[in-house]
Amino acid sequence: DTGVSQDPRHKITKRGQNVTFRCDPISEHNRLYWYRQTLGQGPEFLTYFQNEAQLEKSRLLSDRFSAERPKGSFSTLEIQRTEQGDSAMYLCASSTGASPLHFGNGTRLTVT
Amino acid sequence: SQQGEEDPQALSIQEGENATMNCSYKTSINNLQWYRQNSGRGLVHLILIRSNEREKHSGRLRVTLDTSKKSSSLLITASRAADTASYFCATDSGGYQKVTFGTGTKLQVIP
């Protein structure tokens, strides 16, 4: 169990650019979740996958956001045409579906 | 949107004292979980209580659940400086599907 890995840890980008984050879950976990967290707030649910199927998406996930988990293993979260309001910590978590969530240490995005 | 709200938002205590934080939630739940987050890090699961349980203990942690009031509390006894962190409650309606988090309590334990 090497834990949930997220890459990069930090990303600074200019407004209007596209960014992509990667999450590698714990290998035997079939559930993968994405959350967004702003300073002083709790994690806000964005979406989750069961294997490669995306089962639920939050209204927070506008059409500029897309998440994929093509082979049911790692996942990517892409934000197109970034805005300053997208600045946040993006957290990934995984679970077996019968266990609590295991989180990565997040990707901190700063949009300038 | 946040399912739960923690109270207080911030708490500062001396080492050795007990810390109590409360969580209120809005909809029916299957279980309630508490997580801890150190600054700049991911969340770590602490304890889970099922909807048919009223109290649960794990080491220095004690969790209570009152489903009639839609509330839970987390008690940390004999606090240590290393307990300094933010604490979040989380709920899901079943099967760890859409797990939603509260707003968190920021705990500072002063040595």
Side-chain angles (χ1 to χ4, degrees):
Chain A
D1 179 355
T2 57
V4 177
S5 176
Q6 291 189 247
D7 183 68
R9 285 297 314 275
H10 303 274
K11 178 71 177 178
I12 300 174
T13 192
K14 292 186 177 179
R15 189 178 53 173
Q17 298 293 305
N18 298 345
V19 293
T20 300
F21 311 140
R22 177 180 170 123
C23 172
D24 287 272
I26 293 170
S27 57
E28 63 267 26
H29 286 184
N30 55 13
R31 290 258 176 99
L32 188 147
Y33 308 76
W34 284 101
Y35 289 85
R36 182 173 73 183
Q37 186 178 29
T38 53
L39 202 62
Q41 298 296 312
E44 293 178 293
F45 174 84
L46 293 178
T47 188
Y48 88 98
F49 292 84
Q50 170 94 13
N51 299 313
E52 65 273 13
Q54 188 173 19
L55 295 187
E56 187 163 347
K57 287 172 59 171
S58 164
R59 286 170 296 174
L60 292 173
L61 217 63
S62 73
D63 54 8
R64 297 185 298 106
F65 288 69
S66 62
E68 293 183 344
R69 195 182 183 199
K71 296 181 181 178
S73 56
F74 74 91
S75 175
T76 58
L77 178 68
E78 181 183 17
I79 309 174
Q80 296 183 327
R81 305 180 303 281
T82 52
E83 302 172 356
Q84 287 190 318
D86 298 330
S87 295
M89 175 79 87
Y90 290 84
L91 293 163
C92 175
S94 69
S95 87
T96 64
S99 65
L101 275 55
H102 294 251
F103 279 84
N105 284 324
T107 293
R108 180 166 296 283
L109 173 66
T110 302
V111 182
T112 62
Chain B
S1 62
Q2 312 279 180
Q3 156 75 309
E5 287 190 8
E6 277 90 334
D7 170 58
Q9 288 187 325
L11 180 60
S12 183
I13 59 173
Q14 297 289 327
E15 201 165 31
E17 294 181 337
N18 295 343
T20 299
M21 48 206 91
N22 304 295
C23 166
S24 59
Y25 57 91
K26 298 172 187 172
T27 60
S28 297
I29 61 170
N30 185 54
N31 63 61
L32 186 141
Q33 306 162 55
W34 285 89
Y35 288 77
R36 164 189 159 147
Q37 184 179 35
N38 288 76
S39 182
R41 310 281 287 185
L43 285 77
V44 175
H45 179 257
L46 294 176
I47 191 167
L48 177 150
I49 186 165
R50 302 195 186 283
S51 58
N52 61 354
E53 297 175 311
R54 292 297 168 258
E55 187 171 313
K56 199 159 183 182
H57 297 253
S58 177
R60 295 185 296 113
L61 305 180
R62 174 183 165 237
V63 171
T64 61
L65 179 64
D66 186 337
T67 53
S68 67
K69 294 181 180 177
K70 291 188 169 59
S71 68
S72 173
S73 68
L74 172 68
L75 169 67
I76 304 173
T77 60
S79 63
R80 305 166 181 167
D83 295 329
T84 294
S86 292
Y87 292 82
F88 297 92
C89 66
T91 59
D92 74 275
S93 56
Y96 297 95
Q97 296 188 56
K98 183 180 175 182
V99 179
T100 55
F101 287 81
T103 51
T105 292
K106 191 168 186 177
L107 173 66
Q108 181 184 27
V109 181
I110 302 166

